[in-house]
Amino acid sequence: MVQLAYQDPATWLELGQPDPILEEIAQGAGKPQLEKRPDISSVVATRAAWAPVFKDFAEAAVARSNGSVTSTDIDIPRRDGGSCRALLYKPEDGKDGGRPLVVFIHGGGFVYGLPEMEAGLAVAAVQEYQCVALCLSYRLAPEHKFPTATDDCWDALKWITQNAARLGVDLSKGFVLGGTSAGGSIVTALSHLARDEKVYPPLTGLYLNVPLLLAPEAVRPEQQPLYRSREQNAYAPVLNKAFMDMYTAACDPDDLQNSYLWSPFNWPGGPGKAHAGLPPTYFQICGLDPLRDEALIYERVLRTEYKTPTRVDIYPGLPHMFVPNFPTHPSSKKYPKDALRGIGWLLNKGEQDTV
């Protein structure tokens, strides 16, 4: 198979050259649509401002389905006796049971976010593939320090395997786990936990959307030559070093250098074992994103060292989470279409060639 451009690390820095159309939009529109500030004191106000925007977005996604998709709020129990809210999307066709499941975990740096953020893709997947989709929530920092978010989602994943009939799914027909940004970090950690603890039925696919995978403090010498986007894109729009520093301070992980939950790229096990046995994985990666290279390095390791089927869509010159922040950019229409095709590839268990 012909090597694609992103498979050559020599091309990665070129991906960080700002997109000229984005620069024109930014100059004309000013600040991104979802404004935030890189200080912990502003987190609560930002959450309050974002919540109605994404709830309206989720309601509109269901409305566009013209009655073909239903939405239900459910509560998933946690280990501490509390519960986390989730959104369950199902086809409205009178049939129940036997469908594959796609689970989505939202992003927001572990400090922002709600399950409605993933509603657009969830509803589209239900319509296109007649699956069931479940969008999870988790407790946020700084009120709940790391790894509370990962723990909450791990509890949810185990609950799902025990309540498949209640959800109307057959996990043996498809059990896909997807996440955006911080949610992608959680997904990567959960995929390893599920493998190590032999969760059954096993996950059949992973969707990593601009994932956070490797903290600067945890970079190993062999990774360092390819780990350049944190520096190259330190002042990028939407996500940059100032926000990454704020998220880290809010989460306050115990051990930045050695925590494999915080940097799941460095999962223990050693060469040939750390990432063995993981399911096909689909990546969406942005070129102007500080997180670009950790995703590209991880994909490269999965593909070349573990022969894991992978699929990649990459967006040169565009920043982290550009779609909701710059919705008029032409690629903001392409991005969700790519994501939907990627979910379809995962539901087919990655049987096509790596692309």
Side-chain angles (χ1 to χ4, degrees), residues 255-323:
D255 189 342
L256 287 172
Q257 184 174 358
N258 298 304
S259 172
Y260 53 84
L261 291 177
W262 185 248
S263 294
F265 192 118
N266 287 344
W267 203 265
K273 295 182 180 179
H275 308 302
L278 297 176
T281 303
Y282 167 56
F283 292 82
Q284 284 185 293
I285 301 170
C286 293
L288 195 58
D289 188 347
L291 308 183
R292 179 195 71 217
D293 288 349
E294 53 212 81
L296 286 168
I297 299 168
Y298 186 52
E299 187 277 335
R300 182 179 177 85
V301 167
L302 290 179
R303 172 171 44 83
T304 64
E305 298 182 22
Y306 293 91
K307 309 306 177 186
T308 302
T310 63
R311 179 183 178 114
V312 177
D313 283 310
I314 195 159
Y315 307 88
L318 295 175
H320 188 90
M321 296 298 294
F322 70 87
V323 174

Side-chain angles (χ1 to χ4, degrees), residues 10 12 14 90 98 111 119 130 151 155 171 194 233 241 247-248 258-260 271 299 305 309 320 322 328:
W12 293 0
E14 297 174 12
K90 303 175 74 171
V111 304
Q130 294 299 294
D151 290 344
D155 292 346
L171 300 178
N233 298 327
K241 185 178 185 301
Y247 297 151
T248 301
N258 298 304
S259 172
Y260 53 84
E299 187 277 335
E305 298 182 22
H320 188 90
F322 70 87
T328 61

Side-chain angles (χ1 to χ4, degrees), residues 74-350:
I74 65 172
D75 292 315
I76 298 179
R78 304 190 307 250
R79 66 188 68 183
D80 66 350
S83 63
C84 286
R85 183 175 69 96
L87 297 176
L88 180 65
Y89 296 100
K90 303 175 74 171
E92 179 59 277
D93 58 5
K95 301 177 183 178
D96 201 13
R99 301 183 188 276
L101 176 68
V102 183
V103 181
F104 295 98
I105 303 177
H106 69 79
F110 298 102
V111 304
Y112 309 121
L114 62 169
E116 281 85 353
M117 293 171 73
E118 300 294 333
L121 183 54
V123 171
V126 172
Q127 287 184 285
E128 184 73 16
Y129 305 117
Q130 294 299 294
C131 62
V132 171
L134 185 64
C135 300
L136 303 182
S137 68
Y138 48 87
R139 289 173 289 177
L140 301 171
E143 298 92 334
H144 303 282
K145 303 297 185 183
F146 187 85
T148 300
T150 303
D151 290 344
D152 287 351
C153 292
W154 176 237
D155 292 346
L157 185 68
K158 292 188 291 186
W159 180 88
I160 289 167
T161 63
Q162 298 163 5
N163 291 271
R166 172 181 171 181
L167 297 173
V169 300
D170 181 348
L171 300 178
S172 68
K173 293 184 177 179
F175 189 6
V176 172
L177 184 60
T180 296
S181 193
S185 178
I186 294 171
V187 164
T188 306
L190 296 191
S191 67
H192 288 78
L193 287 170
R195 177 204 62 187
D196 294 348
E197 300 202 12
K198 296 179 172 56
V199 164
Y200 187 83
L203 296 169
T204 61
L206 304 175
Y207 166 41
L208 301 182
N209 180 21
V210 292
L212 169 66
L213 300 172
L214 182 61
E217 297 83 359
V219 177
R220 297 170 178 168
E222 67 272 19
Q223 300 160 344
Q224 193 65 56
L226 300 182
Y227 187 87
R228 297 171 292 180
S229 58
R230 291 277 186 137
E231 180 178 357
Q232 183 189 26
N233 298 327
Y235 302 99
V238 185
L239 181 67
N240 50 47
K241 185 178 185 301
F243 280 106
M244 291 305 303
D245 289 346
M246 187 268 279
Y247 297 151
T248 301
C251 291
D252 192 24
D254 288 337
D255 189 342
L256 287 172
Q257 184 174 358
N258 298 304
S259 172
Y260 53 84
L261 291 177
W262 185 248
S263 294
F265 192 118
N266 287 344
W267 203 265
K273 295 182 180 179
H275 308 302
L278 297 176
T281 303
Y282 167 56
F283 292 82
Q284 284 185 293
I285 301 170
C286 293
L288 195 58
D289 188 347
L291 308 183
R292 179 195 71 217
D293 288 349
E294 53 212 81
L296 286 168
I297 299 168
Y298 186 52
E299 187 277 335
R300 182 179 177 85
V301 167
L302 290 179
R303 172 171 44 83
T304 64
E305 298 182 22
Y306 293 91
K307 309 306 177 186
T308 302
T310 63
R311 179 183 178 114
V312 177
D313 283 310
I314 195 159
Y315 307 88
L318 295 175
H320 188 90
M321 296 298 294
F322 70 87
V323 174
N325 286 284
F326 301 100
T328 61
H329 192 282
S331 289
S332 292
K333 294 181 179 180
K334 179 179 184 295
Y335 201 98
K337 294 177 181 178
D338 291 342
L340 187 60
R341 283 193 293 268
I343 294 296
W345 180 77
L346 292 173
L347 288 171
N348 287 325
K349 300 180 175 60

